[in-house]
């Protein structure tokens, strides 16, 4: 079977047409946990879970013992499910070889799921992970659960609000993403709160999102960058003071400031090359965060590409000082905001 995505995995679970082995990985943590749960609910009868369900964490159990459990015949028919979370296969070629050997004659009554959440599977850079992915795809299914696009997330928000008996427009769903970020679990949490506040049959408004939704670090630092670009020093330093009071790490704050300026620089370069800013998604990772390109296109209209280059140099210099000197990090950030404001002027 080939490498598949969310749609194909959903169909397999719906039709109970299970692969004998699964490799589940990708950027979207919520989706990985969700579909692992779906597989478990379909494959394991709770009455016999003590006999037919085996779960392993990390490398606490040798691969040989895991595969031995996979050969056990399930009690009262059905399937045995072997769930292995974050097993570092890339650390041992011997483990990879043992798995490949097992795949030559997999048990027809067992489904093995290797699920990766805290370990990144970089199949482009790592030959070992590429080998693992190929082995799973050949013997069963290698499932890459990528982040959903902004449009997909917006549809999910509209549909989820409807299930909660409240209404949100597609435009405000996109706005909610820009405020709280693109993590699905966070979106659901904030949507639950908004629907409870709005009440059944009512419509979520921009005002309720601004009042109730907890802004992501990226959204808060985006406000800081917006005020810098507007030349509004009072509001810029007000946001920075709040970030300091909330104990946000200066390096994390600077990293988001840097991403805002890099987004604008990319848009400027794209336009100077005669390309549309929307094409940037073909070259950089903006999936689920397409609003960043729109914001960058709007914010960079009145700033020159030379000023953006100078600003990025200022940010890079601050980054080096934050990581290599004993200077007060908050003071360094305050100085950086002043320099960026001067560039805007």
């Amino acid at each position: 079977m080939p490498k598949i995505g969310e749609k194909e995995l959903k169909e397999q679970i719906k039709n109970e047409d299970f692969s004998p082995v699964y490799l589940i990985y990708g950027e979207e943590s919520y989706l990985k946990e969700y579909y692992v749960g779906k597989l478990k609910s379909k494959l394991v009868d709770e009455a016999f879970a003590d006999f037919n369900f085996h779960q392993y964490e990390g490398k606490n159990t040798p691969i040989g013992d895991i595969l031995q459990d996979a050969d056990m015949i399930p009690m009262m028919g059905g399937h045995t499910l072997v769930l292995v979370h974050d097993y570092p296969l890339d650390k041992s070629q011997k483990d990879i070889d043992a798995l490949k050997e097992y795949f030559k004659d997999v048990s027809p009554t067992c489904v093995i799921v290797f699920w990766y959440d805290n370990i990144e599977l970089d199949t482009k850079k790592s030959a070992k992970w590429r080998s693992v992915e190929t082995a799973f795809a050949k013997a069963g299914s290698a499932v890459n659960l990528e982040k959903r696009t902004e449009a997909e997330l917006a549809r999910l928000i509209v549909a989820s609000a409807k299930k909660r008996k409240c209404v949100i427009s597609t435009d405000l769903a996109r706005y909610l993403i820009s405020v709280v970020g693109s993590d699905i679990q966070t979106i659901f949490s904030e949507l639950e709160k908004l629907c409870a506040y709005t009440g059944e049959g009512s419509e979520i408004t921009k005002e309720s999102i601004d009042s109730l939704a907890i802004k992501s670090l990226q959204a808060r630092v985006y406000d800081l960058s917006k005020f810098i670009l507007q030349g509004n020093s009072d509001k810029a330093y007000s946001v920075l003071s709040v970030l300091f009071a909330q104990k946000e790490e200066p390096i994390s704050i600077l990293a988001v400031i840097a991403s805002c300026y890099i987004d604008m620089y990319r848009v400027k370069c794209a336009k100077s090359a005669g390309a549309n800013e929307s094409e940037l998604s073909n070259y950089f990772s903006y999936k689920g965060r397409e609003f960043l390109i729109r914001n960058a296109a709007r914010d960079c209209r009145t700033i020159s590409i030379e000023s953006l280059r100078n600003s990025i140099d200022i940010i890079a210099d601050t980054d080096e000082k934050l990581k290599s000197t004993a200077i007060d990090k908050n003071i360094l950030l305050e100085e950086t905001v002043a320099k960026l404001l001067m560039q805007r002027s």
Side-chain angles (χ1 to χ4, degrees):
M1 294 183 186
K3 290 181 280 187
I4 63 174
E6 181 183 0
K7 181 180 178 182
E8 293 83 1
L9 177 60
K10 192 174 182 179
E11 283 296 313
Q12 285 189 13
I13 295 172
K14 179 182 176 182
N15 299 327
E16 299 190 5
D17 181 22
F18 304 110
S19 296
V21 298
Y22 286 96
L23 177 68
I24 297 180
Y25 63 105
E27 295 180 294
E28 189 49 74
S29 296
Y30 172 82
L31 291 178
K32 288 183 285 187
E33 187 171 357
Y34 174 79
Y35 283 109
V36 165
K38 281 288 187 181
L39 283 168
K40 182 182 176 185
S41 67
K42 285 282 189 177
L43 288 163
V44 179
D45 185 334
E46 286 300 319
F48 304 103
D50 289 344
F51 303 97
N52 297 342
F53 176 59
H54 308 276
Q55 184 167 355
Y56 304 93
E57 189 69 35
K59 199 175 181 179
N60 296 327
T61 307
I63 195 73
D65 291 354
I66 294 173
L67 297 178
Q68 199 170 37
D69 281 347
D71 279 332
M72 293 178 63
I73 297 173
M75 181 169 285
M76 302 301 291
H79 290 87
T80 298
L81 174 62
V82 174
L83 177 60
V84 189
H85 184 220
D86 282 338
Y87 194 96
L89 283 169
D90 61 321
K91 302 300 182 185
S92 171
Q93 186 60 47
K94 185 178 179 182
D95 287 345
I96 295 174
D97 292 340
L99 206 59
K100 287 181 178 178
E101 186 62 31
Y102 177 82
F103 286 172
K104 292 178 181 178
D105 186 23
V106 294
S107 170
T109 59
C110 179
V111 173
I112 303 176
V113 178
F114 274 69
W115 162 36
Y116 288 91
D117 195 26
N118 300 310
I119 295 177
E120 181 185 359
L121 267 71
D122 194 339
T123 56
K124 292 182 179 178
K125 294 182 180 179
S126 170
K128 282 186 177 178
W129 279 129
R130 195 157 52 247
S131 170
V132 169
E133 181 190 51
T134 300
F136 272 90
K138 186 177 179 181
S141 295
V143 190
N144 185 4
L145 293 173
E146 298 179 299
K147 284 189 174 294
R148 293 183 175 181
T149 65
E150 186 184 43
E152 289 169 338
L153 287 173
R155 286 196 294 271
L156 178 65
I157 291 169
V158 171
S160 298
K162 187 176 180 180
K163 287 180 181 178
R164 292 171 172 82
K165 299 182 180 179
C166 62
V167 179
I168 186 170
S169 68
T170 301
D171 285 343
L172 280 183
R174 289 176 183 270
Y175 178 68
L176 180 61
I177 296 165
S178 72
V179 170
V180 305
S182 57
D183 177 75
I184 295 178
Q185 189 63 59
T186 301
I187 288 172
F188 280 160
S189 176
E190 294 301 316
L191 186 62
E192 187 75 41
K193 180 170 59 178
L194 287 164
C195 287
Y197 172 80
T198 303
E200 286 189 17
S202 300
E203 186 166 0
I204 294 171
T205 64
K206 183 177 183 296
E207 289 72 26
S208 62
I209 294 174
D210 289 337
S211 299
L212 297 173
I214 298 174
K215 283 190 172 184
S216 65
L217 174 62
Q218 185 161 30
R220 285 177 285 153
V221 178
Y222 169 72
D223 287 342
L224 169 61
S225 301
K226 179 178 66 177
F227 292 134
I228 291 171
L229 291 166
Q230 291 173 354
N232 192 329
S233 59
D234 288 344
K235 287 189 175 180
Y237 280 109
S238 176
V239 173
L240 191 62
S241 295
V242 171
L243 290 168
F244 289 158
Q246 292 172 338
K247 306 297 183 184
E248 295 289 357
E249 283 294 325
I251 289 177
S252 299
I253 296 172
L254 186 70
V256 181
I257 293 174
S259 71
C260 291
Y261 275 84
I262 289 169
D263 291 339
M264 289 188 288
Y265 184 69
R266 286 171 176 169
V267 168
K268 279 285 189 183
C269 290
K271 287 187 175 181
S272 66
N276 190 294
E277 62 261 18
S278 62
E279 296 177 41
L280 289 172
S281 293
N282 298 330
Y283 304 99
F284 303 102
S285 179
Y286 286 103
K287 197 167 188 180
R289 306 177 305 135
E290 290 86 350
F291 64 89
L292 294 177
I293 302 174
R294 294 196 302 275
N295 291 345
R298 182 189 63 224
D299 295 337
C300 71
R301 288 171 186 165
T302 58
I303 187 167
S304 69
I305 197 165
E306 182 181 0
S307 291
L308 285 172
R309 286 176 181 147
N310 292 338
S311 297
I312 290 170
D313 286 341
I314 290 167
I315 293 167
D317 181 61
T318 303
D319 182 64
E320 184 177 346
K321 288 177 181 176
L322 283 174
K323 295 172 180 175
S324 62
T325 68
I327 302 173
D328 186 286
K329 290 179 171 56
N330 288 3
I331 292 174
L332 272 175
L333 268 185
E334 289 172 348
E335 289 178 349
T336 301
V337 169
K339 291 175 181 177
L340 293 173
L341 282 162
M342 290 174 66
Q343 280 298 316
R344 180 64 186 86
S345 300

